[in-house]
């Protein structure tokens, strides 16, 4: 197996002898001098850090050279501001993008170690909740690969998204102390530390208004390199950490309270302590507003500093006028940051900011009293920017509120949705009045994913099979996958694609059995729904199908059924009661189904604990069926749907988000599309949704609900799921029952096709061949040309060992 496991995969770069020997030396040097020093025995973690440092050495020269080029060429720079960057692990991605993976594998093997085992030691950088934070990470990869002078700006949270433990079927959160052992990829840059002001008051003087008596928090930057794919470009992600100044609070205490004053430094530093664990949900907490303002205020100062000094290594201002600012700067606000009230900085009109919005839940609003107390100038600024009634920035009522969405639309030169259906909702509903006023401001940019991480890194077997047929250019031009359509009937190709999937399933099964002690049938259909747990994503619909299948097997045990392993994974926001109940229901269904001898290996229901980027890289390549079943009109785009499509899973889904465009690209007949469309949902909203009507009419649905309600799945606590049943019957905004019948029927078609492996694999090939549109390279190219006004470049920067042109 060893030689099979280590067979050289050409798409991972050739292992030249020079590279291998150099990497070995570098590894040993770091192990002995940087890490182990006075200890006699190296641990596996020491080996990981030695390898990370050896790989980082290959980045640094390219990083410095890239930044030199930018200072000399002085291109227009792109600034991507987000409160979340869900990066995952960095080691393997860096090896892939530098073309070093085979060389590292060989070097590590020669040293008697296993590369995969070392990769598993790395912590995920979990500085995001889900799709939005991961999108930001994919975009950084694409911007570097396309040679754009781009910078990611965010917060260096000390604690990222919590680690999820399942205890007795319930989610329990544990703090994610991801920096515990240090982070080999970041470089602190104290020389670029900046002050951010809070609180205080506005004083009106003869020279104008001044913001005085503020509390200062320092923003300390940490830089992480972002390598493009084999083009020697290395961009920068700069994350801010909050530090108290040395005189923090000292002036307010007498000498006796010195200790208290030093302890109070934590209050300032709490700003970057922890990521808010909410996905698609606004939390109106003061700390959250502080985080938004902190990242924007520090970033804008940094942008202006860089704009003023355009020569490499020169911090003295070179530019004194802001006239050319919009020609040299484009800033994108990815997360609803408090970006646009900052016109107190030296540039007031903002033709350089663009914005993306997600419309699932009510738009965020802040009370002016929050704004006034925390940022004395901003509440007044917002009132000054206010326009008309329905488009008002200030929402009138018992408690006045500042509508941040309206503020950002007013302050941005472009606003976009992230899938065609979503952009139409943004124009026709969410921001209709703004669209009527300035239609040219609104665009669509359908999301994408990076094929480096989501194919090359996570599914090298499939990448290799594709490269053998069409060459390797698809890695940076995913539209080339269309060429695979000519091989849809090629028996050898069909066999190879099916074989890779089966190998991925066997590998994943082994990991699952080790973790969950459940025997998996690797020839069963791997039916997977992994995403944040939320009512609108309708994990409950999936549960109802699982119960329906279970009841069918029980009532007809001799009948032959298509075996399925249903896997559901994802985190629930800690304060979201219904989402936590949904997890408990999934684990309870699994308890009953997985231990029923009548069912055997025909059906398993598994909750995948602690779903995160590094886990996605394992489960997605092993999946047969991808569940994308949100109520039409609620999912802005989705990106997991694209990852499954690219990795050879078929999609069962509603006409929502990017599913619509996936069906358009591959042909609706090559996806399993079911359920209400947006128009049907709107019509049902008009006439009123009556869940009981479906409960009374559909016997299998009624049986499933009665089982949940009666305690069949929770015998020790029969009333456990009362809240879930009550919601489904009387308060379900997402209309689960309305799509139940169509969903169960559609799942029948899935079973039918799965029984014909050749036809199933042909559909898989058609899907892979049609997934080219969903590369983040295409998305970023559209942003660059149509919003930012820059042109992607295929030019390679010369590597550090060659002279510069």
């Amino acid at each position: 197996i060893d030689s099979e496991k280590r067979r050289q995969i050409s798409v991972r770069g050739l292992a030249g002898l020079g590279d291998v020997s150099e990497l070995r030396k570098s590894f040993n040097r770091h192990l002995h001098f940087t890490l182990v020093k006075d200890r006699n025995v190296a641990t596996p973690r020491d080996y990981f850090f030695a390898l990370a440092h050896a790989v980082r050495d290959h980045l640094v020269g390219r990083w410095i050279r890239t930044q030199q080029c930018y200072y000399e060429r002085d291109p227009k720079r792109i600034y991507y501001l987000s409160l979340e960057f869900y990066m995952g692990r960095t080691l393997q991605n860096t090896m892939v993008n530098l073309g070093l993976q085979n060389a590292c594998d060989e070097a590590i093997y020669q040293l008697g170690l296993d590369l995969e085992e070392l990769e598993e030691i790395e912590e995920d950088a979990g500085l995001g909740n889900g799709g939005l934070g991961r999108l930001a990470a994919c975009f950084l990869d694409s911007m570097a690969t396309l040679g754009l002078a781009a910078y990611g700006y965010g917060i260096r949270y000390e604690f990222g998204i919590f680690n999820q433990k399942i205890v007795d079927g319930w989610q329990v959160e544990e703090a994610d102390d991801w920096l515990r052992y240090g982070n080999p990829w970041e470089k602190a840059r104290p020389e670029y530390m900046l002050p951010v002001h809070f609180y205080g008051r506005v004083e009106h003087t003869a020279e104008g208004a001044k913001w005085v008596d503020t509390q200062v928090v320092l923003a300390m930057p940490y830089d992480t390199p972002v390598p493009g794919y084999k083009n020697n470009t290395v961009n920068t992600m700069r994350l801010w950490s909050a530090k108290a100044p040395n005189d923090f609070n000292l002036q307010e205490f007498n000498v006796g309270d010195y200790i208290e004053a030093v302890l109070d430094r934590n209050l300032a530093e709490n700003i970057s302590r922890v990521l808010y664990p909410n996905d698609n949900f606004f939390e109106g907490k003061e700390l959250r507003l502080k985080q938004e303002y902190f990242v924007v205020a520090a970033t804008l100062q940094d942008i202006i500093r860089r704009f003023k000094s355009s020569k490499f290594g020169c911090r003295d201002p070179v530019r004194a006028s802001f006239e050319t600012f919009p020609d040299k700067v484009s800033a994108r606000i990815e997360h609803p940051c408090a970006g646009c009230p900052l016109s107190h900085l030296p540039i007031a009109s903002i033709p350089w900011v663009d914005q993306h919005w997600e419309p699932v839940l009510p738009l965020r609003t802040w009370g002016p009293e929050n704004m006034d107390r925390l940022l004395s100038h901003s509440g007044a600024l917002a009132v000054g920017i206010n326009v008309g009634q329905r488009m008002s920035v200030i929402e009138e009522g018992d408690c006045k509120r500042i509508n941040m969405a309206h503020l950002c639309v007013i302050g941005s030169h472009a606003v976009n949705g992230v899938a065609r259906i979503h952009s139409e909702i943004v124009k026709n509903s969410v921001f209709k009045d703004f669209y009527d006023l300035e239609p040219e401001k609104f665009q669509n940019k359908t999301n994408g994913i990076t094929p480096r991480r989501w194919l090359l890194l996570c599914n090298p077997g499939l990448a290799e099979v594709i490269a053998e047929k069409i060459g390797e250019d698809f890695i940076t031009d995913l539209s080339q996958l269309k060429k695979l359509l000519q091989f849809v009937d090629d028996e050898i190709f069909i066999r190879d694609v099916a074989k890779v999937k089966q190998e991925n399933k066997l590998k994943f099964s082994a990991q699952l059995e080790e973790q969950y002690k459940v025997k998996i049938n690797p020839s069963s259909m791997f039916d997977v729904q992994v995403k944040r747990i939320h009512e609108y994503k309708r994990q409950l619909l999936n549960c109802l199908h699982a119960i329906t299948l279970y009841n069918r097997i029980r009532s007809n045990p001799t009948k032959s059924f298509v075996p399925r392993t249903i896997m559901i994974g994802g985190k629930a926001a800690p304060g979201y009661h219904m989402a936590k109940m949904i997890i408990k229901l999934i684990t309870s269904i699994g308890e009953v189904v997985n231990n029923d001898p009548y069912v055997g290996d025909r059906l398993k229901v598994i909750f995948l604990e602690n779903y995160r980027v590094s886990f996605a890289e394992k489960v997605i390549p092993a999946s047969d069926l991808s569940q994308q079943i949100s109520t039409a009109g609620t999912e802005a785009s989705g990106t997991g749907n694209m990852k499954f499509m690219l990795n050879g899973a078929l999609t069962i889904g509603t006409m929502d988000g990017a599913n619509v465009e996936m069906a358009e690209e591959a042909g609706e007949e090559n996806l399993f599309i079911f359920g209400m469309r947006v128009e049907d949902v709107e019509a049902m909203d008009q006439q009123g949704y009556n869940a009981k009507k479906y409960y009374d009419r559909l016997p299998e649905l009624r049986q499933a609900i009665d089982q949940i309600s009666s305690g069949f799945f929770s015998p020790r606590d029969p009333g456990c799921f009362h809240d879930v049943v009550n919601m489904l019957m009387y308060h379900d905004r997402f209309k689960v029952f309305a799509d139940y019948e169509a969903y169960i029927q559609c799942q029948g078609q899935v079973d039918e096709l799965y029984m014909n492996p050749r036809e199933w694999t042909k559909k898989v090939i058609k899907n892979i061949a049609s997934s080219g549109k969903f590369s983040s390279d295409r998305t970023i190219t559209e942003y660059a040309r149509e919003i930012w006004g820059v042109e992607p470049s295929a030019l390679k920067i010369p590597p550090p060992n060659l002279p510069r042109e």
Side-chain angles (χ1 to χ4, degrees):
I1 303 287
D2 197 42
S3 58
E4 179 64 15
K5 179 181 168 189
R6 296 189 54 262
R7 66 171 187 254
Q8 295 287 299
I9 290 172
S10 71
V11 289
R12 290 180 154 187
L14 296 171
L17 287 177
D19 276 344
V20 172
S21 136
E22 198 268 319
L23 278 162
R24 260 179 41 213
K25 281 185 202 148
S26 179
F27 176 92
N28 280 322
R29 194 172 61 246
H30 282 297
L31 187 65
H32 295 295
F33 297 111
T34 320
L35 297 159
V36 180
K37 293 181 204 142
D38 49 358
R39 283 188 284 130
N40 291 329
V41 183
T43 64
R45 181 163 277 104
D46 291 322
Y47 296 138
F48 160 70
F49 273 98
L51 177 58
H53 282 101
V55 170
R56 192 184 68 179
D57 291 343
H58 284 257
L59 270 177
V60 173
R62 291 171 169 86
W63 197 8
I64 292 167
R65 187 164 272 197
T66 301
Q67 302 312 312
Q68 277 173 338
C69 286
Y70 292 163
Y71 269 91
E72 288 162 11
R73 293 199 338 255
D74 192 28
K76 185 173 188 179
R77 289 169 162 87
I78 311 304
Y79 295 103
Y80 195 100
L81 281 74
S82 177
L83 279 163
E84 300 185 18
F85 286 95
Y86 201 173
M87 304 298 284
R89 292 172 176 163
T90 295
L91 174 62
Q92 197 183 353
N93 186 248
T94 304
M95 295 189 299
V96 164
N97 279 11
L98 295 184
L100 281 177
Q101 195 164 13
N102 277 334
C104 286
D105 187 36
E106 184 57 34
I108 292 300
Y109 178 74
Q110 289 178 12
L111 291 162
L113 298 166
D114 182 287
L115 183 60
E116 232 174 277
E117 283 172 21
L118 298 190
E119 287 165 352
E120 283 300 310
I121 291 167
E122 185 173 8
E123 301 275 352
D124 278 48
L127 308 185
N129 277 283
L132 181 141
R134 185 52 233 170
L135 183 77
C138 283
F139 280 179
L140 291 184
D141 181 89
S142 285
M143 288 188 283
T145 298
L146 292 167
L148 299 178
Y151 303 75
Y153 275 96
I155 295 179
R156 180 183 180 264
Y157 300 105
E158 204 175 307
F159 296 93
I161 186 65
F162 61 86
N163 284 315
Q164 178 193 58
K165 292 272 185 287
I166 300 299
V167 179
D168 206 14
W170 297 95
Q171 168 177 299
V172 175
E173 300 87 25
E174 283 185 358
D176 166 42
D177 191 3
W178 71 290
L179 293 167
R180 180 175 48 225
Y181 300 107
N183 174 3
W185 307 107
E186 69 181 9
K187 174 83 181 80
R189 306 299 301 273
E191 67 274 29
Y192 292 114
M193 191 142 56
L194 290 165
V196 176
H197 296 259
F198 293 98
Y199 304 108
R201 58 194 172 80
V202 175
E203 206 170 69
H204 294 277
T205 68
E207 296 91 67
K210 287 190 175 159
W211 188 14
V212 297
D213 297 337
T214 58
Q215 185 189 100
V216 176
V217 176
L218 298 175
M220 159 84 90
Y222 286 79
D223 288 355
T224 299
V226 178
Y229 182 73
K230 292 187 182 175
N231 63 352
N232 298 319
T233 294
V234 180
N235 284 343
T236 301
M237 175 177 68
R238 176 161 286 182
L239 302 181
W240 301 105
S241 183
K243 279 194 75 63
N246 286 334
D247 61 355
F248 182 78
N249 269 6
L250 283 176
Q251 58 278 44
E252 280 153 47
F253 287 94
N254 61 34
V255 177
D257 275 333
Y258 163 73
I259 297 291
E260 204 57 38
V262 173
L263 296 181
D264 272 359
R265 293 168 61 87
N266 274 331
L267 300 176
E269 295 174 357
N270 277 338
I271 291 174
S272 56
R273 193 81 66 204
V274 60
L275 168 77
Y276 269 88
N278 303 313
D279 190 67
N280 281 309
F281 181 79
F282 169 57
E283 181 146 19
K285 294 282 197 318
E286 183 179 288
L287 177 59
R288 177 61 169 194
L289 180 58
K290 271 187 171 173
Q291 289 181 340
E292 293 181 1
Y293 182 77
F294 175 73
V295 70
V296 171
T299 300
L300 283 183
Q301 291 179 75
D302 212 36
I303 290 173
I304 291 162
R305 174 196 60 75
R306 195 178 286 110
F307 168 75
K308 283 178 168 179
S309 59
S310 62
K311 289 200 179 67
F312 184 70
C314 162
R315 274 184 249 150
D316 304 323
V318 175
R319 291 196 182 94
S321 155
F322 277 101
E323 273 176 32
T324 58
F325 197 79
D327 306 325
K328 289 295 178 185
V329 169
S330 196
R332 166 164 188 80
I333 304 173
E334 172 58 27
H335 209 288
C337 292
C340 296
L342 288 174
S343 28
H344 69 291
L345 281 157
I347 26 198
S349 149
I350 316 192
W352 43 276
V353 174
D354 67 280
Q355 172 75 42
H356 129 221
W357 282 95
E358 306 225 358
V360 172
L361 291 149
L363 296 174
R364 59 177 60 207
T365 59
W366 287 108
E369 71 288 348
N370 288 81
M371 297 285 265
D372 268 337
R373 201 167 66 76
L374 200 58
L375 318 165
S376 306
H377 59 295
S378 290
L381 267 170
V383 174
I385 297 168
N386 205 14
V387 292
Q389 247 340 90
R390 285 193 316 223
M391 299 158 78
S392 173
V393 171
I394 309 293
E395 292 182 357
E396 301 298 337
D398 298 343
C399 166
K400 282 196 167 87
R401 304 191 70 75
I402 294 176
N403 187 313
M404 301 299 285
H406 289 184
L407 195 53
C408 278
V409 173
I410 292 162
S412 301
H413 76 97
V415 176
N416 69 275
V418 290
R420 197 189 322 117
I421 182 177
H422 170 227
S423 296
E424 291 306 308
I425 292 169
V426 166
K427 292 190 304 197
N428 303 330
S429 151
V430 183
F431 294 136
K432 183 180 190 311
D433 293 329
F434 290 98
Y435 174 69
D436 291 343
L437 186 68
E438 297 182 281
E440 70 288 346
K441 190 183 258 195
F442 289 80
Q443 303 194 20
N444 173 58
K445 298 282 169 281
T446 299
N447 281 343
I449 57 170
T450 170
R452 272 72 63 184
R453 185 175 293 265
W454 297 112
L455 180 55
L456 221 57
L457 180 156
C458 73
N459 203 344
L462 181 59
E464 186 73 348
V465 163
I466 293 169
E468 281 167 4
K469 285 294 184 196
I470 64 170
E472 292 182 20
D473 289 353
F474 71 91
I475 298 166
T476 49
D477 175 11
L478 207 62
S479 65
Q480 299 217 9
L481 291 178
K482 276 265 177 280
K483 294 177 181 171
L484 293 175
L485 287 173
Q486 62 192 300
F487 303 111
V488 166
D489 294 307
D490 178 325
E491 295 303 330
I492 294 169
F493 188 58
I494 293 171
R495 188 199 63 207
D496 287 347
V497 169
K499 180 166 176 272
V500 166
K501 178 63 75 181
Q502 200 49 42
E503 284 168 359
N504 292 341
K505 287 174 72 174
L506 282 165
K507 187 174 179 182
F508 187 64
S509 304
Q511 291 167 342
L512 275 189
E513 285 177 27
E514 201 176 311
Q515 195 174 347
Y516 298 105
K517 311 294 178 238
V518 173
K519 189 91 183 92
I520 308 290
N521 173 2
S523 62
S524 67
M525 183 199 307
F526 283 15
D527 167 349
V528 180
Q529 186 181 22
V530 282
K531 51 186 73 250
R532 285 298 289 252
I533 309 294
H534 203 299
E535 288 160 86
Y536 88 84
K537 294 180 185 283
R538 299 203 294 192
Q539 283 91 353
L540 285 170
L541 187 55
N542 196 348
C543 288
L544 291 175
H545 174 245
I547 295 171
T548 302
L549 275 187
Y550 172 70
N551 289 332
R552 287 179 179 178
I553 294 169
R554 286 281 315 196
S555 62
N556 208 336
T558 55
K559 192 177 165 210
S560 119
F561 288 87
V562 175
R564 274 196 199 228
T565 303
I566 298 174
M567 305 179 219
I568 306 177
K571 292 174 183 176
Y576 188 174
H577 168 70
M578 188 54 66
K580 289 187 143 181
M581 289 307 308
I582 291 168
I583 291 175
K584 177 62 173 168
L585 178 62
I586 298 162
T587 57
S588 302
I589 294 168
E591 271 296 290
V592 171
V593 171
N594 303 345
N595 294 302
D596 189 325
Y598 284 99
V599 174
D601 65 0
R602 290 179 288 187
L603 181 63
K604 294 278 182 250
V605 176
I606 294 173
F607 185 81
L608 301 170
E609 184 177 276
N610 204 28
Y611 181 63
R612 58 201 185 281
V613 176
S614 57
F615 194 92
E617 291 162 8
K618 299 178 173 74
V619 65
I620 291 171
S623 301
D624 292 307
L625 186 68
S626 157
Q627 299 237 20
Q628 310 296 336
I629 57 179
S630 53
T631 311
T634 63
E635 188 74 87
S637 164
T639 45
N641 45 4
M642 304 167 185
K643 292 164 194 168
F644 282 100
M645 182 186 198
L646 181 59
N647 281 279
L650 298 185
T651 302
I652 184 165
T654 50
M655 277 298 202
D656 197 22
N659 296 356
V660 176
E661 289 160 79
M662 285 162 52
E664 192 176 285
E665 292 295 302
E668 208 174 309
E669 70 283 1
N670 292 309
L671 281 77
F672 298 99
I673 297 291
F674 72 94
M676 296 181 289
R677 309 299 206 251
V678 169
E679 313 76 65
D680 305 319
V681 174
E682 285 167 355
M684 188 171 284
D685 282 331
Q686 292 298 306
Q687 68 188 54
Y689 165 63
N690 176 7
K692 187 142 189 341
K693 184 178 82 180
Y694 300 96
Y695 172 87
D696 290 337
R697 185 170 65 78
L698 303 167
E700 287 188 306
L701 172 62
R702 186 165 63 249
Q703 182 186 7
I705 293 298
D706 289 350
Q707 285 170 312
I708 296 169
S709 180
S710 68
F712 180 86
F713 295 106
S714 53
R716 281 170 299 196
D717 181 5
C720 182
F721 299 115
H722 170 268
D723 288 355
V724 176
V725 172
N726 188 53
M727 181 275 290
L728 285 171
M729 294 294 292
Y730 306 109
H731 315 284
D732 181 8
R733 292 175 298 156
F734 302 106
K735 308 175 179 62
V736 170
F737 292 3
D739 275 341
Y740 170 83
E741 191 174 21
Y743 179 58
I744 298 293
Q745 258 174 347
C746 195
Q747 286 281 21
Q749 294 163 28
V750 174
D751 279 340
E752 211 171 299
L753 188 65
Y754 194 75
M755 289 191 288
N756 185 339
R758 185 173 177 277
E759 289 307 309
W760 179 280
T761 306
K762 283 173 71 170
K763 261 199 175 45
V764 163
I765 293 166
K766 287 176 191 169
N767 271 268
I768 295 169
S770 308
S771 62
K773 174 179 178 176
F774 305 106
S775 168
S776 47
D777 298 344
R778 186 266 319 148
T779 312
I780 290 297
T781 299
E782 289 179 8
Y783 276 115
R785 290 176 177 157
E786 295 162 29
I787 297 184
W788 302 333
V790 292
E791 189 58 32
S793 151
L795 280 178
K796 263 190 176 180
I797 294 175
N801 57 337
L802 292 180
R804 292 162 63 195
E805 280 120 24

